[in-house]
Amino acid sequence: MVEVRLENLKKYFDNGRVKAVDGVNLTIKDGEFLVLLGPSGCGKTTTLRMIAGLETPTSGRIWFGDKDVTYLPPKDRNISMVFQSYAVWPHMTVYDNIAFPLKIKKYPKEEIDKKVKWAAELLQIGELLDRYPAQLSGGQRQRVAVARAIVVEPNVLLMDEPLSNLDAKLRVAMRAEIKKLQTKLKVTTIYVTHDQVEAMTMGDRIAVMNRGKLLQVGPPTEVYLKPNSIFVATFIGAPEMNLLEVTVKETGDSIVLEGEGFEIPLPSDFKELLGKYIDKTVIFGIRPEHMTIEGVSSLEHVKRSAILEGIVDFIEALGTDTIVHANIGSGNIIKVKLPGHIPLEVGSKVKIVVDLDNIHVFDKN
Ligand code: ADP
Ligand code: MG
């Protein structure tokens, strides 16, 4: 087990035209489960491949503890990698697939046998050791890939979207399993995904990347509650955070956010927070789940609130939740997420209660 430190790590392709990874500084703690989250093409795989030694950085350093591994070949790093495409060998049995990395390391036969059975038990594939990959389901094949990764007891476990080829139900089940396995083994893990739910449910911390840069690193709740940018705010959470352009106005003792066709009055204690924005235009953000509708659902937990009047424009009944789209003026549509079935009709007038302890203000860039 080891701490992994990335120091101003860069990888440019095509003579610098593609800045795949552009100055990443990140420390992954010993035993931590860190999720690298970001959209397709943001540089996640390239970052992981540099940590694995499969890609040489353009500049920067990679440390495992106090050892500089930047230019060390993969075989000398004691890392394991699990890919999206399971990459198990079709001509080998499950047993031989898992045993393979140990054979390469020339472990004695009895030790190989012990370790293969240990890893297979952990992944609950002890009954499948004689089978060939073609005789396995996608989920079982991925278990083999994970067993093969952990059998060497790596210092660092690297996973690149390992669940994205599985169907939705299996993916949810495997999330919990991989997380539990990692907790048990305490192996430093870097898990790449573009799926924000996977990141929220699995990571001890989430590192959000975009365009080769790290935007925010923190525990899931912190990244969710205190996003530091519009990108992070909208990438995490579904449906995504409502964003509205408003001008911050001072009115006597309090503050009003003036939008086109609507106003959000704020109590005086927001003066401190928003004082620097007075008479400026900013982006106001509120998550759909941080609002309710008067007379429709409970408001008990809301301490400070503002009311927005709207007209129901569209209703998405999801069964467990309902997403109400409301026009709050001048065609500004806001989405409100409410638990359960909501007996509202398109065209009806609603009073939207905004939980002011969960509002966000971003610079308009
Ligand atoms: P992600 O895994 O987040 O989807 P990648 O790390 O695969 O992103 O890619 C980041 C960027 O680098 C993309 O624009 C991709 O096209 C580019 N890229 C990745 N590998 C290469 C390569 N070998 N040659 C040129 N460009 C590459
Ligand atoms: Mg990738």
Side-chain angles (χ1 to χ4, degrees):
M1 266 33 72
V2 72
E3 175 185 282
V4 177
R5 192 153 53 86
L6 312 181
E7 203 180 284
N8 202 15
L9 197 61
K10 292 184 186 173
K11 181 66 185 184
Y12 293 176
F13 292 108
D14 297 341
N15 296 318
R17 277 192 292 277
V18 179
K19 295 178 175 173
V21 178
D22 199 11
V24 165
N25 288 290
L26 177 62
T27 302
I28 301 108
K29 296 171 210 159
D30 187 359
E32 183 176 30
F33 194 121
L34 182 111
V35 177
L36 202 52
L37 173 70
S40 176
C42 75
K44 305 181 295 295
T45 294
T46 306
T47 304
L48 215 58
R49 286 174 57 82
M50 287 192 281
I51 299 169
L54 300 170
E55 205 83 69
T56 306
T58 303
S59 64
R61 299 259 151 219
I62 302 170
W63 301 84
F64 285 4
D66 49 19
K67 189 171 177 190
D68 183 347
V69 301
T70 313
Y71 300 106
L72 215 57
K75 66 175 175 55
D76 298 331
R77 297 190 186 200
N78 194 22
I79 51 97
S80 283
M81 196 151 167
V82 180
F83 303 90
Q84 173 178 350
S85 56
Y86 321 119
V88 290
W89 292 291
H91 60 287
M92 284 186 203
T93 61
V94 168
Y95 186 100
D96 288 336
N97 261 285
I98 301 173
F100 190 76
L102 300 172
K103 283 184 181 158
I104 291 199
K105 291 191 173 192
K106 305 210 185 323
Y107 276 63
K109 232 183 167 147
E110 311 78 66
E111 203 171 333
I112 292 181
D113 193 60
K114 227 168 76 188
K115 282 178 181 285
V116 168
K117 284 175 179 158
W118 165 79
E121 281 314 312
L122 271 177
L123 271 301
Q124 296 165 42
I125 47 172
E127 310 299 310
L128 308 175
L129 289 171
D130 296 330
R131 294 213 198 161
Y132 285 88
Q135 299 167 296
L136 303 175
S137 69
Q140 289 169 333
R141 251 174 266 166
Q142 193 56 305
R143 282 167 194 270
V144 175
V146 176
R148 188 182 54 193
I150 63 161
V151 78
V152 294
E153 298 178 63
N155 277 329
V156 184
L157 180 58
L158 304 171
M159 300 205 219
D160 194 355
E161 316 228 9
L163 304 183
S164 32
N165 278 357
L166 305 179
D167 65 59
K169 212 168 160 184
L170 195 54
R171 200 157 60 219
V172 173
M174 282 298 279
R175 261 186 221 152
E177 272 203 50
I178 289 182
K179 176 70 182 174
K180 281 193 243 173
L181 181 71
Q182 193 273 343
T183 307
K184 200 182 283 178
L185 297 175
K186 296 185 178 69
V187 52
T188 308
T189 300
I190 306 169
Y191 185 105
V192 160
T193 183
H194 64 271
D195 180 338
Q196 52 101 12
V197 179
E198 225 167 86
M200 288 294 291
T201 53
M202 297 177 85
D204 295 326
R205 284 189 307 155
I206 301 177
V208 186
M209 258 186 109
N210 191 32
R211 296 165 180 259
K213 292 191 192 292
L214 214 53
L215 299 187
Q216 188 170 2
V217 186
T221 45
E222 187 181 300
V223 176
Y224 169 81
L225 289 172
K226 299 199 181 316
N228 67 1
S229 56
I230 289 178
F231 182 85
V232 174
T234 51
F235 199 75
I236 293 193
E240 70 180 42
M241 183 185 286
N242 295 290
L243 297 175
L244 297 161
E245 195 175 293
V246 296
T247 305
V248 181
K249 292 280 181 195
E250 194 172 15
T251 58
D253 227 11
S254 55
I255 280 192
V256 176
L257 303 179
E258 285 184 7
E260 208 189 329
F262 66 93
E263 277 189 3
I264 307 171
L266 302 177
S268 56
D269 37 340
F270 278 87
K271 260 193 171 167
E272 202 176 320
L273 181 71
L274 297 176
K276 62 175 171 176
Y277 291 119
I278 289 181
D279 293 327
K280 292 210 168 77
T281 301
V282 296
I283 304 298
F284 167 82
I286 179 81
R287 293 196 184 278
E289 59 272 34
H290 290 148
M291 290 179 286
T292 56
I293 290 178
E294 210 174 81
V296 173
S297 65
S298 157
L299 310 171
E300 276 161 36
H301 64 281
V302 178
K303 291 195 209 82
R304 300 187 294 175
S305 62
I307 302 283
L308 271 174
E309 295 195 349
I311 293 169
V312 178
D313 181 68
F314 187 66
I315 296 174
E316 291 176 74
L318 304 176
T320 49
D321 301 305
T322 303
I323 318 287
V324 178
H325 301 220
N327 183 345
I328 55 166
S330 303
N332 283 306
I333 301 286
I334 199 163
K335 290 183 190 175
V336 183
K337 183 176 171 182
L338 302 165
H341 172 72
I342 302 299
L344 273 177
E345 277 172 37
V346 170
S348 43
K349 270 192 180 165
V350 286
K351 283 190 170 150
I352 300 164
V353 182
V354 178
D355 179 357
L356 293 180
D357 289 300
N358 278 302
I359 65 170
H360 304 267
V361 173
F362 303 105
D363 284 314
K364 189 187 166 201
N365 30 13

